[in-house]
Amino acid sequence: MIYCTVQDLTDRFSEAELTQLTDRANTGGIDYAVLDQAIADATAEINGYLTTYLPLANVPANLVRIGCDVARYYLYDDAVTDQVQTRYDQAIKYLSQVAKGQISLGPDATGTLATSTNDSVEFISVTPIFGRDGGGY
């Protein structure tokens, strides 16, 4: 699941900023390979916090914004501005709270609440170490 797209990033931060952050070969345009890597890195980080919710049936609007903020943070690399750092820190705080069950993921752009498509529950039992028969360690 990808939380933001190139278009989402362009809409939020402008083509000019994305060109500045990705155009390492000075071609005058966005380097989509660099941008795609930042999106992949942001997705991996977000998935780390949302493990118990994955896979999601729909992407909540909050995660689109957070995906954009995290990807932008990765694009800035060693030259992170205060604003970019603050937005990243807020995103991680939100994801931490979701992971702890303190807040919900929220609705998607249509108002539908985020749901997981992971309907299976698995219980695994191991042989007990201690028992009434006096066995064990």
Side-chain angles (χ1 to χ4, degrees), residues 1 3 46-47 50 52-60 63 105 114-118:
M1 167 154 300
Y3 302 103
I46 292 167
N47 283 344
L50 302 182
T52 59
Y53 297 93
L54 298 176
L56 293 172
N58 52 339
V59 178
L63 291 184
L105 285 171
T115 58
S116 172
T117 59
N118 184 1

Coordinates of all heavy atoms in Angstrom, one line a residue, residues 1 3 46-47 50 52-60 63 105 114-118:
M1 N 0.8 -1.2 0.0 CA 0.0 0.0 0.0 C 0.9 1.2 0.0 O 1.8 1.3 0.8 CB -0.9 0.0 1.2 CG -1.6 1.3 1.5 SD -3.1 1.1 2.4 CE -4.1 0.1 1.4
Y3 N 0.9 5.4 0.4 CA 0.1 6.4 1.1 C 0.1 7.7 0.4 O -0.8 8.5 0.6 CB 0.6 6.6 2.5 CG 0.6 5.2 3.3 CD1 1.7 4.5 3.5 CD2 -0.6 4.7 3.7 CE1 1.7 3.3 4.2 CE2 -0.7 3.5 4.3 CZ 0.4 2.8 4.6 OH 0.4 1.6 5.2
I46 N 5.9 4.2 7.5 CA 4.5 4.2 8.0 C 4.0 2.8 8.3 O 3.4 2.5 9.3 CB 3.6 4.9 6.9 CG1 4.0 6.4 6.9 CG2 2.2 4.7 7.3 CD1 3.4 7.2 5.7
N47 N 4.4 1.9 7.4 CA 3.9 0.5 7.6 C 4.5 -0.1 8.9 O 3.8 -0.9 9.5 CB 4.4 -0.4 6.4 CG 3.5 -0.2 5.2 OD1 2.4 0.3 5.3 ND2 4.0 -0.7 4.1
L50 N 2.0 0.8 11.4 CA 0.6 0.3 11.2 C 0.5 -1.2 11.0 O -0.5 -1.7 10.5 CB 0.1 1.0 10.0 CG 0.0 2.5 10.0 CD1 -0.6 3.1 8.8 CD2 -0.7 3.0 11.3
T52 N -0.3 -3.7 12.7 CA -1.5 -4.4 13.1 C -2.8 -4.0 12.3 O -3.8 -4.7 12.4 CB -1.8 -4.2 14.6 OG1 -2.0 -2.7 14.8 CG2 -0.7 -4.7 15.5
Y53 N -2.7 -3.0 11.5 CA -3.8 -2.5 10.7 C -3.7 -3.0 9.3 O -4.7 -2.8 8.5 CB -3.9 -1.0 10.7 CG -4.1 -0.4 12.1 CD1 -3.1 0.0 12.9 CD2 -5.4 -0.2 12.5 CE1 -3.3 0.6 14.2 CE2 -5.7 0.3 13.8 CZ -4.6 0.7 14.6 OH -4.9 1.2 15.8
L54 N -2.6 -3.5 8.9 CA -2.3 -3.8 7.5 C -2.9 -5.2 7.1 O -2.9 -6.1 7.9 CB -0.8 -3.8 7.2 CG -0.2 -2.4 7.4 CD1 1.3 -2.5 7.2 CD2 -0.8 -1.4 6.5
P55 N -3.3 -5.4 5.9 CA -3.5 -4.4 4.9 C -4.8 -3.5 5.1 O -5.7 -4.1 5.6 CB -3.6 -5.1 3.6 CG -4.2 -6.5 4.0 CD -3.7 -6.7 5.4
L56 N -4.7 -2.3 4.7 CA -5.9 -1.4 4.8 C -6.8 -1.5 3.6 O -6.3 -1.7 2.5 CB -5.4 0.1 5.0 CG -4.7 0.4 6.2 CD1 -4.1 1.8 6.1 CD2 -5.6 0.3 7.4
A57 N -8.1 -1.5 3.8 CA -9.0 -1.5 2.7 C -9.0 -0.2 1.9 O -9.3 -0.1 0.7 CB -10.4 -1.8 3.2
N58 N -8.8 0.9 2.6 CA -8.7 2.2 2.0 C -7.7 3.1 2.8 O -7.4 2.8 3.9 CB -10.1 2.9 2.0 CG -10.7 2.9 3.4 OD1 -10.4 2.1 4.3 ND2 -11.7 3.7 3.7
V59 N -7.2 4.1 2.1 CA -6.2 5.0 2.7 C -6.8 6.2 3.4 O -7.5 7.0 2.7 CB -5.1 5.4 1.7 CG1 -4.1 6.4 2.3 CG2 -4.4 4.2 1.1
P60 N -6.7 6.3 4.7 CA -7.3 7.5 5.3 C -6.6 8.8 4.9 O -5.4 8.8 4.5 CB -7.0 7.3 6.8 CG -6.7 5.8 6.9 CD -6.1 5.4 5.6
L63 N -3.3 9.7 6.4 CA -2.1 9.0 5.9 C -1.6 9.5 4.6 O -0.4 9.4 4.4 CB -2.4 7.5 5.8 CG -2.6 6.8 7.2 CD1 -2.7 5.3 7.0 CD2 -1.5 7.1 8.2
L105 N -7.2 5.9 13.0 CA -6.7 6.3 11.7 C -7.5 7.4 11.0 O -7.0 8.2 10.2 CB -6.6 5.1 10.7 CG -5.4 4.1 11.0 CD1 -5.6 2.9 10.2 CD2 -4.1 4.8 10.8
A114 N -11.3 4.1 8.0 CA -10.3 3.1 7.5 C -10.5 1.8 8.2 O -10.9 1.7 9.4 CB -8.9 3.6 7.9
T115 N -10.4 0.7 7.4 CA -10.6 -0.6 8.0 C -9.5 -1.5 7.4 O -8.9 -1.2 6.4 CB -12.0 -1.2 7.5 OG1 -12.0 -1.2 6.1 CG2 -13.1 -0.4 8.1
S116 N -9.2 -2.5 8.2 CA -8.2 -3.5 7.8 C -8.9 -4.6 7.0 O -10.0 -5.0 7.2 CB -7.5 -4.1 9.0 OG -6.7 -5.1 8.6
T117 N -8.2 -5.1 6.0 CA -8.7 -6.3 5.3 C -8.1 -7.6 5.8 O -8.4 -8.6 5.3 CB -8.4 -6.2 3.8 OG1 -6.9 -6.1 3.6 CG2 -9.0 -5.0 3.1
N118 N -7.4 -7.5 6.9 CA -6.8 -8.6 7.6 C -7.8 -9.1 8.6 O -7.9 -8.7 9.7 CB -5.5 -8.2 8.3 CG -4.8 -9.4 8.9 OD1 -5.2 -10.5 8.8 ND2 -3.7 -9.1 9.6

